[in-house]
Amino acid sequence: MAGLSVNIDHVATLRETRKISYPDPVAAAVLAELAGANGIVVHLREDRRHIQDRDVRILRQIVQTKLILEMASNHEMVGIALDIQPDLVTLVPEKREELTTEGGLDLITQNNAIAETVDTLQNSGIPVCIFIDPNLDQIKLAHKINATMVEIHTGTFCEAKTLKKRNQAFSNIVDTVKFAHKLKIGVNAGHGLCYNTITAFKGLHEIEEFSIGHSIVSRAVLVGMERAVKEMITLIKEL
Ligand code: PXP
């Protein structure tokens, strides 16, 4: 059975809209682990729009499963990763103007820089996963630079507007996952997965772990709403 790593960035997004101390992604990490998550994922962005350095440092101390740090391949982030020593680093592309990560890293154009980051981190004992689009050439290059894992970008599949595009996107995912497995690179998958799209992955046992954030945090807001309102009503009644 594949594992689930829960991305808690959007708990921090909610906190940062008010720049106050709650909801704390650290508390969300504890609850996600108690519910059975196999790992906690945070993306420390250059612009610190959601996860803050303080979150990553506290999470490093309290996460009981594994802490996965998503980050851009740059000098600042490599320094932070070497200091924090997450259990896995997932390298992602990052653009300031994007709402969320928009696609995988392109190892064809950025091979040397990424290879250097992979070496630096892996030589210090941190396994590295590279987030790539479902494409066989990208897998070949990830294998060539010795990355421990790849995470296959599932966003194109999840966002496909027609059945034809959806089927094509899924077929690309299947081919890429099987090829990575054949090359003995570990395979994770993620981005945009929700309670509907996850069901398509039945039988694709080569995937070790799914990395899911937005849909889980969104559902948590709704399934927790009834209790949150009742608790406030109880307090008001007691006034
Ligand atoms: N995997 C990667 C590499 C990501 O960048 C993200 C988003 O931060 C996710 C998975 C999770 O995506 P979502 O929040 O859409 O589930």
Side-chain angles (χ1 to χ4, degrees), residues 7 9-10 43 70 90 92 100-101 131 151 190-193 211-215:
N7 179 316
D9 291 351
H10 294 303
H43 183 175
E70 266 182 34
T90 299
V92 295
T100 181
T101 315
F131 184 56
E151 180 180 329
H191 208 281
L193 292 168
S211 174
I212 308 181
H214 189 265
S215 64

Side-chain angles (χ1 to χ4, degrees), residues 57-75:
R57 287 182 197 286
I58 298 176
L59 287 167
R60 174 63 297 179
Q61 289 173 33
I62 61 105
V63 164
Q64 305 286 316
T65 53
K66 59 179 182 285
L67 177 64
I68 302 167
L69 179 63
E70 266 182 34
M71 55 176 240
S73 169
N74 64 38
H75 189 69

Side-chain angles (χ1 to χ4, degrees), residues 5-25:
S5 282
V6 177
N7 179 316
I8 52 172
D9 291 351
H10 294 303
V11 177
T13 301
L14 196 53
R15 176 190 62 192
E16 294 307 311
T17 57
R18 289 278 172 102
K19 301 268 174 229
I20 52 176
S21 61
Y22 69 87
D24 193 333

